[in-house]
Amino acid sequence: MRSAVALALEEDLAPLGDLTSSLIPATATGEATFVSRREGVVAGTACALETARQVGGVTALFEAADGARVSAGQVLGTFSGSLRSLLTAERTALNFLCHLSGVATLTAKYVETVREANPHCRVWDTRKTTPGLRALEKAAVRAGGGLNHRGSLSEGVLLKDNHLGEVPIAAAVKEALARWPGRMVEVECDRIDQVSEALEAGATLVLCDNMSPEELASCVALVRAHPRGKARAVLVEASGAMTLATVADYARAGPDLISVGALTHSAPALDIGLDLSCDTAPGHEQPVE
Amino acid sequence: MRSAVALALEEDLAPLGDLTSSLIPATATGEATFVSRREGVVAGTACALETARQVGGVTALFEAADGARVSAGQVLGTFSGSLRSLLTAERTALNFLCHLSGVATLTAKYVETVREANPHCRVWDTRKTTPGLRALEKAAVRAGGGLNHRGSLSEGVLLKDNHLGEVPIAAAVKEALARWPGRMVEVECDRIDQVSEALEAGATLVLCDNMSPEELASCVALVRAHPRGKARAVLVEASGAMTLATVADYARAGPDLISVGALTHSAPALDIGLDLSCDTAPGHEQPVE
Amino acid sequence: MRSAVALALEEDLAPLGDLTSSLIPATATGEATFVSRREGVVAGTACALETARQVGGVTALFEAADGARVSAGQVLGTFSGSLRSLLTAERTALNFLCHLSGVATLTAKYVETVREANPHCRVWDTRKTTPGLRALEKAAVRAGGGLNHRGSLSEGVLLKDNHLGEVPIAAAVKEALARWPGRMVEVECDRIDQVSEALEAGATLVLCDNMSPEELASCVALVRAHPRGKARAVLVEASGAMTLATVADYARAGPDLISVGALTHSAPALDIGLDLSCDTAPGHEQPVE
Amino acid sequence: MRSAVALALEEDLAPLGDLTSSLIPATATGEATFVSRREGVVAGTACALETARQVGGVTALFEAADGARVSAGQVLGTFSGSLRSLLTAERTALNFLCHLSGVATLTAKYVETVREANPHCRVWDTRKTTPGLRALEKAAVRAGGGLNHRGSLSEGVLLKDNHLGEVPIAAAVKEALARWPGRMVEVECDRIDQVSEALEAGATLVLCDNMSPEELASCVALVRAHPRGKARAVLVEASGAMTLATVADYARAGPDLISVGALTHSAPALDIGLDLSCDTAPGHEQPVE
Amino acid sequence: MRSAVALALEEDLAPLGDLTSSLIPATATGEATFVSRREGVVAGTACALETARQVGGVTALFEAADGARVSAGQVLGTFSGSLRSLLTAERTALNFLCHLSGVATLTAKYVETVREANPHCRVWDTRKTTPGLRALEKAAVRAGGGLNHRGSLSEGVLLKDNHLGEVPIAAAVKEALARWPGRMVEVECDRIDQVSEALEAGATLVLCDNMSPEELASCVALVRAHPRGKARAVLVEASGAMTLATVADYARAGPDLISVGALTHSAPALDIGLDLSCDTAPGHEQPVE
Amino acid sequence: MRSAVALALEEDLAPLGDLTSSLIPATATGEATFVSRREGVVAGTACALETARQVGGVTALFEAADGARVSAGQVLGTFSGSLRSLLTAERTALNFLCHLSGVATLTAKYVETVREANPHCRVWDTRKTTPGLRALEKAAVRAGGGLNHRGSLSEGVLLKDNHLGEVPIAAAVKEALARWPGRMVEVECDRIDQVSEALEAGATLVLCDNMSPEELASCVALVRAHPRGKARAVLVEASGAMTLATVADYARAGPDLISVGALTHSAPALDIGLDLSCDTAPGHEQPVE
């Protein structure tokens, strides 16, 4: 996180620094409040704090923790101190806050929609994250009430059609269990017979991809009836262009998990602003309209 | 760009590498095509090429250059070579392509809408970019036909209300011109009297923020009639929560430029997939020991 | 791997470069062979190749791939080209090769000992790796025929006594399954009643730590008889100061996996040398003793 | 050192953080003591402190400084504070401590063995260090009572047989003294006539490599009798597969220095553990569901 | 700045640290004063403070801020604390201070010479900076009273003869204004007819390169008389091997700005020393064991 | 060197790239020659080649190697290829070439002046280098015919007055020889009695600082007459604000080495330019003056 903030500040300040703030008296101080313009879920407050720390001269304080649900107009926190520093830090802090809160907010919408349809079904993310921000975006998903699928290719096995063109399901699953014991060994299935094959082979997750809710329900039933399903040795995940309009139908089909790429690749930013109230020095009488 | 790709691969491969690809024979080869599932504008092809180069063992070739308009189903390019490498590179290459093409595609929509309303008005971006990706996102805006506002706080002066609470417009502009000669000196204005003040003071851009189209038109008229406007010494920019629904009205009011933060902070990913055709055709009988 | 090699070369060459090689004529060329002085298993050849590439002026070729078993005196590969570059690259290439081959060689010894005692039992590593070299050392373990336990704290759940002082086993496992679905959820057990509790709670691995082989055998029997064991939903791992002298007894007790920290934290380097044969230019008659 | 710790934490925490610690209440606190399970010499305490600092939320305090001799069961220091942070920092701190204390402990054994045989003879290390850890391992050698040979190829001249195949000793030493004045100019010698040649040429160290103790004694006598030896202008070093069993014989032969590659390439880790004592609030009876 | 200091310390301390300071008692403390041996202008104090912070154990305090004019013998600031740390930090801190103060001092000489000749003319720098130090050197120019021309190629358009061989002035300026609105669009001119062409095309700066003061005066007159000149829409810059002997003549010709590459590429270091006063005063009787 | 070039390009191109080159047709090609405007000695050609490599699209070829003496107007090398790339690479390549050739050229002047006065005396540099460029500047000193003093604090012992305030010469030298055997152990002396003390103690270099040539000659005589001097066990270095006007007198006093800080901290850039000759495509008839 520290290096992500350092990189963002470097992007915004190299090589001459903040030209505009240089026009403000070096001794001016102020306080500014982060205000959400919309209802949403907050994420990225640690990045905003770190931005203040790295710029220096600014004290940051957040009332709203990651995961807090906020209403339009609600104050999230404050930056106070050197006015120059505060204005220099503003955009970088906001870029983190708005993007990550956007991810958390969209996640929360999916989570609620799914929970209403099926309280036993959970929403998780994918590896379709913004390059360089995976850790932060996956944390934002958790802030929004979602779970995290694999953090990386290094974390578990997920055999997709592109892999299975080369190796049959049973052989691939067997090899995966032998070489990478203890990990998730998931198989992407387009049809119920593949689910059956994956189950027999020992897969620990079956991913029902691009099925109808009805097909999904059949696959769920198949898994639940199987001895390995009964022994809680295998989970069912659904995926495939989920939208807020369609996800409830899939949830009702009974999978354990639904993955939604949009959480991280298409979440619009949450609109958060920084409202400044300058410290007018005592006795400073100048009329300001 | 090289370091952004290296960072993204590191995120996806550390520390054990691609567990799933390790299950595929090391000698298997394949060819895969990048196919756009939607109409859009392409950006990020250099990142996809660089991903292939860094992973190694994959030859990448793109037919569609950055800025190309593609239709649903159109092939953008190919990865060919080691199947393991190709599958390892897939998600990282796609994460860049989908995100940056998303930015280019949304930009193109704004650019077309504005151009139809006023061919002399241009769309440009803001500093509301994803941390760590500013250079790439700003290039994607250009690929989409947009222009780039300031690259950073170091590039020009933009006096916003937060700055102007501390220093009057005339004094701030004069100081900016003296200390940072040759740069843009832009003033954010909420009212036409501020535009007038900025104009007199020597600002080189006036930013009409959160005005109605009618107010904007008045400001434009004021600027055009002024000697500095006639001498092409000052441009008018409009901003403030532009949407595809409202931007045409603003364009018709006659500004030189309209800035749209959503281009970089809220563009949904363009849906691009990688379709694999393994070199071993189906029905291949070769004995596998 | 590239950055590890770059770091190692930086360590050895900053700031003045290789003083000794500067005394050799810039045009001198040579060929040198990497020769193992002992029997062992090779790992780290990619690092040696990368060292040659980064130093420049040297062509590297390895006959022995990672995982190859070599005998004392066997040639692993060659560096040829500029004599200066070759001598500059020598120590860095060897430091990688000797250390990583040492890890692979020790791993192979454990793997063989275990396999003879119980062909169904596998050896894997721990997170007790040398700082900065985890990816390379875990690859060396694979080269030696071992498997990899968790790559990092981010990859799976392993509840140790230090965690379980704060939360009871059943509650912790339940929470782990809910928050991190699909991952390994392993419980470190000192006593058979803990194994039983972990099994019931849904753990996917039970770690029998510091038990006698007899206690371990009882735990294995318990797991195998349980419905979740029968459904292949849970594995048994043994750990605790394994040595080459004691590991066979543990293997015979029947666990699926035995973890050995020494593979990465205490493997002596494999003794590999670089033997040079200078190219004496044709007609170069000077008597060399 | 800071970057080595940052790299090690990155290895262990990316991208999702510590899954297991996330299951512990965020407010739980504890204190843990670093305890040596074996007798040895401590090194790497600064790395452990830095690990605590970078993870945050943990206060670290070490009683045993680098170089301290500790007995089995002795407490080296403590981590106290957030239980989550403490458990997250544990393995990284231990990986540094155990490895570097292992180097210091093995060094101390060689130093004592040599000192008993010849109090004027010193032990030093080589460039056979673990890639990326040279500075830390060389500091650990000092903690163990050893000295440091060249820090890098940039620090001094050491003409080995591979160099001397191309240039005669006398010419090489003369050139070295001319181009790199003030530095060590050492010559690796297999035979006493080479020592003689190096001495005449002005070498500042002669390295007697792979000789018998008797041959070494002859070389030492030759050097001591030479005017440059009498003027303290040249030192004698012995090397060549030293072991704890053979090193005393070499020390008694009278060299100034003995170099031992094993100090850094083959030191087993010192077994140090972290023993936790959770802060169970006084009398807290709270039922945990 | 932090990374520049870290890099400089790494250069000076890797891999074994400060050998000489290791000979001083670890507990010795001292205070040292930075004293300018010559008259000059100070810059780089933040780097000296940061050096102390990164080395640790040293408290730094600067009386002279960046931009302060100091006389020979004047104290700039102090380092106090651990004598080892203080001596380790000395050279790195001085290397920054002396180089950057050298830039500021030379800048101040140009600024004064120009100001006396023409109070409306300003001196600014070029992109001819020392690789890796652009931000710091450009800040030192400001400390010396100069201004900053473009921070980078990314900041504005400057069409030189090398560009204009390929595209005519009018077309290039038009394209620049269209693609990069709001930026400086400067044209390098060797002759007055090029100035005229640039003016008509809409350039915002004209760079009169390698002209005589008389030619420059003609160009200035041309610009001032033009409507765009009257509207303050275009500035005149002079360049071309300026020296302290010739720059006044150019200033009197009336340009707005004069650029001087020597400020950053040929400024001699300002001679600043660090004078130590150990805490143990001479005559100290304390027994040293 | 690679990272220094990458850093310099990053400085000059982030975040929007080269705005001006973007105005040139992407397909235009050209060839440009590096021409020295002054007599001097070349250094930094590897940096220029690396700059071309990193920018891409440019082929670089240098006729003049580092260390070559060139006359005014002499061609050093060429860049050919994409005109955009060539112009983008120009300034970065020149910044390295001009600065490093400046160091080499000033070094060569000192070397020649000293050689004429005393062919046995050599010139070397100090640690007063530009932060971040030590390796490159020290290589430029060698290109100019100079030698390199310590590369860093880690390379050898140099006891200055600031150290010797705390520890007496004899004790410090003895400790240095014991703890850092084989290294230079140099003592800074202001008076001949200190030289005597350093000699007796076993110093390997004595640094006569700020003495008159006569005092220096006395010290040289003292050293040459001493048994350790006769055994070539100690060298004499002179230092102290050497100029081209005074250095010959010091050289004639007979020291082995003279150190000159100005070589790296105050060398003016060598004036080198890049002259472009565009490739006018065949049949491209446009009149170009």
Side-chain angles (χ1 to χ4, degrees), chain A residues 209-226:
Chain A
D209 190 47
N210 284 322
M211 294 185 179
S212 67
E214 294 70 29
E215 290 173 293
L216 173 60
S218 306
C219 293
V220 170
L222 179 72
V223 170
R224 302 298 186 223
H226 191 276

Side-chain angles (χ1 to χ4, degrees), chain C residues 13-97:
Chain C
L13 292 173
L16 303 181
D18 181 351
L19 270 52
T20 313
S21 289
S22 74
L23 306 171
I24 288 178
T27 54
T29 58
E31 181 173 295
T33 50
F34 289 93
V35 180
S36 186
R37 311 287 189 218
R38 300 280 172 121
E39 192 188 348
V41 175
V42 177
T45 55
C47 298
L49 293 168
E50 177 67 13
T51 302
R53 198 189 67 76
Q54 288 191 18
V55 169
V58 179
T59 302
L61 205 74
F62 269 78
E63 302 160 27
D66 279 21
R69 179 171 299 276
V70 294
S71 51
Q74 186 172 334
V75 170
L76 311 183
T78 58
F79 268 10
S80 57
S82 155
L83 189 53
R84 280 189 179 180
S85 298
L86 194 154
L87 291 167
T88 297
E90 172 181 3
R91 178 49 42 211
T92 297
L94 283 174
N95 282 351
F96 279 104
L97 273 177

Side-chain angles (χ1 to χ4, degrees), chain E residues 4 7-8 11-25 28-29 83-84 87-92 95-96 99 127-135 137 150-168 172-173 175-176 179-180 183 191 194 265-270 274-280 284, chain F residues 4 7-8 11-25 28-29 83-84 87-92 95-96 99 127-135 137 150-167 172-173 175-176 179-180 183 265-270 274-280 284 286 288-289:
Chain E
L7 184 56
E11 279 185 338
D12 209 23
L13 292 173
L16 303 180
D18 181 352
L19 270 51
T20 314
S21 289
S22 75
L23 306 171
I24 288 177
T29 57
L83 189 53
R84 280 191 180 179
L87 291 167
T88 296
E90 172 181 3
R91 177 50 41 211
T92 296
N95 282 351
F96 280 104
H99 175 64
R127 286 170 40 249
K128 296 176 180 177
T129 55
T130 311
L133 296 182
R134 182 165 291 172
E137 289 183 344
R150 284 192 299 180
S152 72
L153 287 170
S154 165
E155 199 200 303
V157 173
L158 171 40
L159 294 152
K160 299 193 183 176
D161 51 358
N162 281 348
H163 301 91
L164 295 170
E166 194 67 15
V167 202
V173 169
E175 183 74 5
R179 290 179 59 172
W180 302 106
R183 270 78 171 190
R191 301 185 316 271
Q194 293 171 323
H265 69 55
S266 294
L270 182 65
L274 186 68
D275 294 339
L276 184 72
S277 49
C278 285
D279 284 358
T280 49
H284 73 97
Chain F
L7 184 57
E11 280 185 337
D12 209 23
L13 291 173
L16 304 181
D18 182 352
L19 271 51
T20 313
S21 289
S22 75
L23 306 170
I24 288 177
T29 57
L83 189 53
R84 280 190 180 179
L87 291 166
T88 297
E90 173 181 2
R91 176 50 42 211
T92 296
N95 281 351
F96 279 104
H99 175 64
R127 285 169 41 249
K128 298 177 180 176
T129 54
T130 311
L133 297 183
R134 182 165 292 173
E137 289 182 345
R150 284 192 300 181
S152 72
L153 288 170
S154 164
E155 198 199 305
V157 173
L158 172 40
L159 293 153
K160 299 193 184 177
D161 51 358
N162 281 347
H163 302 90
L164 295 171
E166 194 66 16
V167 202
V173 168
E175 183 75 6
R179 291 180 58 172
W180 303 106
R183 271 76 171 191
H265 70 54
S266 294
L270 182 65
L274 187 69
D275 294 339
L276 184 74
S277 50
C278 286
D279 295 351
T280 46
H284 172 284
Q286 76 189 47
V288 180
E289 80 282 9

